[in-house]
Amino acid sequence: MARRERPGKHARSVMSDRRWQPLSLAARAIWLGLTDIGDVVPAIRAPGRSGATVDEIARYLGADVDAVRAAVPELVQCGVLEAVGAGYRLASY
């Protein structure tokens, strides 16, 4: 039987990161959501993968694609996400 991951297990380390404070609420929510999703979707965190597109990230999070599209540059600028191929992956996981 596969071990169940508990949602939010990365929250304490993410929220204590120095990059957390200046981020918008949308960027914070995306970062937290992606750390949980990264446990089960290798394209979100694995080096050498093609990454996940903005549309895929929005679908994984159940979020509005326009909100994700607006927050992604903020996450790239602070080094949380990095561009890989046609998508993005967590640079810090």
Side-chain angles (χ1 to χ4, degrees), residues 43 49-57 72 82-89:
R49 299 282 181 136
S50 62
T53 66
V54 170
D55 290 339
E56 290 171 330
I57 291 170
V72 163
E82 64 184 3
V84 178
Y88 300 92
R89 75 171 194 92

Side-chain angles (χ1 to χ4, degrees), residues 11-89:
R12 182 172 288 138
S13 63
V14 168
M15 292 171 71
S16 65
D17 190 296
R18 63 177 172 70
R19 297 170 290 186
W20 178 260
Q21 286 299 326
L23 291 175
S24 67
L25 291 176
R28 289 177 180 189
I30 290 168
W31 188 4
L32 282 174
L34 288 178
T35 57
D36 285 340
I37 292 167
D39 287 339
V40 293
V41 180
I44 296 294
R45 62 178 169 80
R49 299 282 181 136
S50 62
T53 66
V54 170
D55 290 339
E56 290 171 330
I57 291 170
R59 190 178 75 239
Y60 294 147
L61 296 173
D64 178 66
V65 73
D66 292 330
V68 173
R69 190 171 287 118
V72 163
E74 188 178 354
L75 292 168
V76 169
Q77 183 180 5
C78 75
V80 170
L81 289 180
E82 64 184 3
V84 178
Y88 300 92
R89 75 171 194 92

